[in-house]
Amino acid sequence: EVQLQASGGGLVQAGGSLRLSCTASGFTFEDYAVGWFRQAPGKEREGVSCIKISDGSTYSDDSVKDRFTVSNDNAKKTVYLEMNRLKPEDTAVYYCAANFLPHVAHPCMITAARGVWGQGTQVTVSS
């Protein structure tokens, strides 16, 4: 069974850090795009960061790219989202999604969003 397990959320003060993990099971990992998305109360879901496992290329939304870093550990079939200098507006439920990437030129976030989704993990940043 293809599954993604997201974890690592919690409550943190503004300026603090958290590391989210997204662990895959039931499928090979190497040719996938894995994205992190978030949804705050009353807002639409938005893409945060994404990584193409095959070549390691990463992408992040402008709102987080100088604070968040996405990385992967192939041996553990896990993608991480390191979040630093967190702000109250980062408060949301964070989800990971993964999908087969047919070619490295395909867009990471869009590809990932069309794939398998994990359950969310809550991140709350207090001011």
Side-chain angles (χ1 to χ4, degrees):
E1 182 181 3
V2 175
Q3 284 189 327
L4 293 175
Q5 180 74 35
S7 61
L11 173 64
V12 64
Q13 289 188 330
S17 299
L18 280 174
R19 188 177 77 161
L20 305 184
S21 299
C22 176
T23 300
S25 61
F27 62 98
T28 58
F29 204 50
E30 289 78 16
D31 296 316
Y32 274 67
V34 182
W36 284 98
F37 303 81
R38 66 185 181 187
Q39 187 165 21
K43 294 188 177 181
E44 292 188 355
R45 186 184 66 200
E46 61 178 354
V48 178
S49 297
C50 193
I51 184 167
K52 297 179 181 179
I53 303 298
S54 58
D55 68 354
S57 54
T58 62
Y59 308 85
S60 288
D61 185 78
D62 286 346
S63 64
V64 304
K65 66 180 180 182
D66 60 342
R67 300 183 294 121
F68 292 8
T69 302
V70 60
S71 63
N72 72 290
D73 183 331
N74 281 359
K76 295 182 178 179
K77 295 177 72 174
T78 299
V79 168
Y80 302 101
L81 183 66
E82 186 75 35
M83 305 186 296
N84 298 310
R85 304 198 308 277
L86 282 160
K87 304 175 182 180
E89 51 263 44
D90 295 318
T91 294
V93 178
Y94 283 70
Y95 301 88
C96 60
N99 197 10
F100 177 71
L101 188 69
H103 189 278
V104 69
H106 281 60
C108 191
M109 209 83 76
I110 293 174
T111 300
R114 293 172 176 166
V116 176
W117 286 76
Q119 91 295 353
T121 185
Q122 176 71 47
V123 172
T124 303
V125 185
S126 62
S127 56

